[in-house]
Amino acid sequence: QVQLVESGGGLVQPGGSLRLSCAASGRTFANYLMAWFRQAPGKEREFVATINWSSGRTYYAESVKGRFTVSRDNAKNTVFLQMNSLKPEDTAVYYCAARSDGTYFVTQEYMYPYWGQGTQVTVSS
């Protein structure tokens, strides 16, 4: 089983930055996806970004493209989400997710069997 633990959430001013981390433990795969989703109160969980662990290729939701960057640290089995130019609309619980098959980028929540517990990000003045 793969365990995912997010950290780095908190309160930040609009226009500010925050970096989230997701540490993976347990079994890993040679070619898999790790992704970030978020869920605001009263809203459906939405895709944010994903990275193919093997290739390093990334894919972003249009709403965060150019502001957020997903990256990985292979030695630490950790994926990061660097969030810049944060907006109040970015306020949500952010979840890390993983999928063992990295053949394609996928954005659907149900396609990711492994999930972290979530970390709260609040963007407010």
Side-chain angles (χ1 to χ4, degrees):
Q1 187 179 30
V2 176
Q3 293 83 43
L4 304 173
V5 180
E6 303 99 330
S7 62
L11 176 64
V12 64
Q13 297 285 109
S17 298
L18 207 59
R19 189 179 76 161
L20 307 182
S21 299
C22 175
S25 61
R27 286 190 174 185
T28 58
F29 304 92
N31 182 40
Y32 66 98
L33 299 178
M34 295 189 72
W36 291 95
F37 289 77
R38 66 186 183 185
Q39 187 168 26
K43 300 293 184 68
E44 291 187 341
R45 192 169 298 184
E46 66 173 344
F47 168 80
V48 176
T50 187
I51 182 168
N52 181 291
W53 196 266
S54 178
S55 69
R57 293 181 63 205
T58 58
Y59 181 78
Y60 299 90
E62 191 67 28
S63 61
V64 306
K65 193 175 299 181
R67 299 188 298 123
F68 291 11
T69 303
V70 63
S71 61
R72 72 199 194 284
D73 184 329
N74 292 279
K76 296 182 178 180
N77 290 129
T78 300
V79 64
F80 303 98
L81 184 67
Q82 178 66 46
M83 305 183 293
N84 299 324
S85 301
L86 283 162
K87 306 174 181 179
E89 306 94 277
D90 296 317
T91 295
V93 176
Y94 283 71
Y95 296 90
C96 180
R99 171 181 168 83
S100 61
D101 185 357
T103 302
Y104 307 101
F105 289 125
V106 295
T107 62
Q108 301 95 330
E109 177 182 358
Y110 69 86
M111 296 293 285
Y112 289 84
Y114 306 106
W115 291 84
Q117 82 289 348
T119 185
Q120 176 71 49
V121 173
T122 302
V123 184
S124 177
S125 60

